[in-house]
Amino acid sequence: MSEDVAMLYDMATKFLEAEIAPRYEEFEKAESFDRDSWRKAGAAGLLCASMPEAYGGSGGTFAHESAIMEAISHVGVDGFGIALHSSIVAPYILLYGSEEQKRKWLPRMATGELIGAIAMTEPGAGSDLQGVKTSAVKDGNHYLINGSKTFITNGQLANLIIVVTKTDPSKGAKGTSLIVVETDEVEGFERGRNLDKIGLKSNDTSELFFNDVRVPTANLLGAEEGQGFVQLMQQLPQERLQIGATAIAAVERALALTIDYVKERKAFGKAVIDFQNTQFRLAELKTEATIGRVFYNDCVARHLAGGLDPVTASMAKYWLSDLQGKVVDECLQLHGGYGYMNEYPIARMYRDARVQRIYGGTNEIMKLLIARSL
Ligand SMILES: Cc1cc2nc3c(=O)[nH]c(=O)nc-3n(C[C@H](O)[C@H](O)[C@H](O)COP(=O)(O)OP(=O)(O)OC[C@H]3O[C@@H](n4cnc5c(N)ncnc54)[C@H](O)[C@@H]3O)c2cc1C
């Protein structure tokens, strides 16, 4: 961490501890954050940290985004969907948007007025994105969008959604286009259920329906239609690294909480940490956490230098999220029955960890991508 990244990490931690952590239970119960929290995060400089200042951002890099994501995990407010907003949705606009699109959307994303989502997955198309059926048909200088999406993060709150569509279904992947829908400005857009998940409760995840949604052709990302699949493939390494960031930070938090707990908890007249089994388990987990941290930091350094290849990014996503699952499970075991009680943070961490192996491309798909390079 350079000095300014470390300062941002401290500032984010203080903000999250003061403004978000005290209300986190409320958000978990409501199964959603509120808009006010997003606006406060915007005012504190936590949204679009890596977007240029000219577009309302803080002019940072992925290292700055990573510091914010790690602060979110370390503080234990993992359901705050900032990472997707700032380091997945905003970069699509920055990298593929026209000057007009950037000026129109990025400053409002930086304040939290616009909350971002990306809608790829459909009931019939998850791992195999080529199967996307949502269509965008040109009608004068508008597109008519029809289709349905599911499992969309920030889906209840988002008012700027990048929708993966087929502008030419006959061309398969080459007929895929990304179109921005500003939901406050269109008719025919409906949000379905806020989906009932086993973890990450405070993060709204939804079905979305598009029924003849009319958006200007100027909302297409990229100079021409058919670029969507390539754009998605180009951005996936950063998306995968982002999951790695959350994973390694959760590993570190789980270990810190557990080390504190086993020092306090007594059994058979001694502290649980005095059992050799506890020491050996924690020694192993700490070693793996250190390996994970070194690997993650190396991936970030390579990404900042422009050289993180998709295969290594897939390794980071798969291995770090697997590690998170393993560490959180073993840390819960060392808490005994208390680990199974929701009032202990490790219980929530256990539930929240599970999805990391599924979204952003399942870990099986990551292994396929790695295997293809062998
Ligand atoms: C909480 C949550 C948030 C999400 N957020 C978003 C979001 O914001 N935007 C969005 O677009 N999507 C989002 N998703 C969707 C997510 O990316 C998909 O669930 C994921 O890609 C898997 O797709 P699927 O659920 O259709 O599973 P399927 O593709 O049906 O996979 C089922 C099983 O088959 C395996 N499998 C599939 N193909 C292969 C293969 N070729 N070889 C070996 N095994 C295979 C998978 O690994 C999995 O184990 C989210 C999902 C969840 C749960």
Side-chain angles (χ1 to χ4, degrees):
M1 272 196 197
S2 62
E3 204 178 313
D4 61 323
V5 173
M7 274 168 60
L8 179 62
Y9 173 85
D10 288 342
M11 192 274 279
T13 302
K14 284 193 187 105
F15 170 84
L16 296 164
E17 281 172 350
E19 298 288 344
I20 305 299
R23 296 189 62 200
Y24 198 62
E25 272 311 317
E26 181 194 322
F27 299 145
E28 285 273 294
K29 288 208 171 71
E31 302 197 353
S32 176
F33 268 66
D34 61 359
R35 289 187 181 280
D36 192 43
S37 304
W38 281 84
R39 289 216 181 83
K40 281 187 177 151
L46 299 190
L47 302 182
C48 297
S50 59
M51 293 297 112
E53 288 174 11
Y55 304 121
S58 309
T61 65
F62 182 77
H64 296 84
E65 300 290 3
S66 177
I68 296 170
M69 290 175 224
E70 292 185 45
I72 287 175
S73 260
H74 284 154
V75 173
V77 291
D78 300 74
F80 201 179
I82 290 185
L84 180 110
H85 171 91
S86 299
S87 63
I88 297 181
V89 178
Y92 277 105
I93 296 171
L94 180 72
L95 295 170
Y96 307 116
S98 64
E99 187 57 29
E100 196 190 335
Q101 290 173 332
K102 290 186 242 192
R103 293 206 179 274
K104 186 170 175 203
W105 294 319
L106 289 175
R108 289 192 287 150
M109 287 185 75
T111 59
E113 182 194 332
L114 289 178
I115 296 175
I118 180 156
M120 302 181 251
T121 307
E122 300 183 356
S127 300
D128 183 9
L129 274 183
Q130 299 203 25
V132 160
K133 291 222 158 36
T134 298
S135 62
V137 176
K138 232 182 203 163
D139 178 26
N141 50 5
H142 283 82
Y143 284 111
L144 274 185
I145 302 181
N146 279 288
S148 60
K149 299 285 181 181
T150 192
F151 301 152
I152 306 307
T153 298
N154 297 343
Q156 291 287 311
L157 289 179
N159 44 3
L160 181 144
I161 304 179
I162 298 178
V163 185
V164 178
T165 67
K166 283 275 168 69
T167 38
D168 187 347
S170 70
K171 286 194 184 150
K174 288 190 177 138
T176 306
S177 301
L178 307 186
I179 298 179
V180 174
V181 176
E182 262 198 84
T183 61
D184 299 337
E185 315 223 321
V186 293
E187 284 175 16
F189 169 74
E190 279 174 48
R191 301 177 203 271
R193 291 175 296 147
N194 189 6
L195 298 166
D196 181 13
K197 310 188 293 299
I198 62 172
L200 280 184
K201 288 276 186 190
S202 58
N203 188 252
D204 47 314
T205 308
S206 301
E207 299 169 317
L208 305 176
F209 302 104
F210 300 83
N211 303 308
D212 278 339
V213 172
R214 184 177 270 277
V215 296
T217 48
N219 285 20
L220 175 76
L221 285 181
E224 53 186 10
E225 292 176 1
Q227 302 298 307
F229 217 76
V230 174
Q231 294 165 342
L232 288 169
M233 293 304 125
Q234 285 170 346
Q235 292 315 303
L236 284 175
Q238 176 151 314
E239 182 175 350
R240 289 174 181 157
L241 203 47
Q242 180 209 300
I243 294 171
T246 334
I248 191 62
V251 163
E252 290 165 350
R253 178 167 188 249
L255 272 174
L257 289 169
T258 305
I259 292 165
D260 283 349
Y261 182 80
V262 295
K263 284 180 181 169
E264 290 294 322
R265 178 74 181 163
K266 301 270 187 309
F268 297 95
K270 49 186 178 178
V272 170
I273 196 165
D274 292 329
F275 298 114
Q276 194 182 50
N277 176 65
T278 308
Q279 295 171 11
F280 280 13
R281 296 311 299 137
L282 286 173
E284 287 165 15
L285 298 180
K286 179 82 186 173
T287 306
E288 286 176 278
T290 306
I291 294 168
R293 169 54 74 180
V294 171
F295 177 42
Y296 173 71
N297 285 356
D298 182 61
C299 286
V300 175
R302 283 204 243 171
H303 186 50
L304 293 177
L308 184 69
D309 59 287
V311 171
T312 310
S314 301
M315 291 177 186
K317 194 273 168 178
Y318 133 63
W319 196 80
L320 291 167
S321 62
D322 260 18
L323 180 67
Q324 179 184 359
K326 174 184 169 183
V327 170
V328 168
D329 182 55
E330 298 211 12
C331 285
L332 188 152
Q333 185 71 15
L334 289 171
H335 278 70
Y338 294 93
Y340 202 65
M341 299 298 131
N342 278 324
E343 66 192 276
Y344 283 78
I346 196 70
R348 182 188 293 152
M349 294 184 78
Y350 179 80
R351 288 189 278 109
D352 289 354
R354 189 61 187 85
V355 75
Q356 293 260 96
R357 288 184 262 162
I358 296 171
Y359 58 21
T362 64
N363 283 6
E364 290 74 31
I365 296 296
M366 297 304 104
K367 288 178 199 174
L368 271 184
L369 296 172
I370 298 161
R372 266 185 214 151
S373 75
L374 301 178

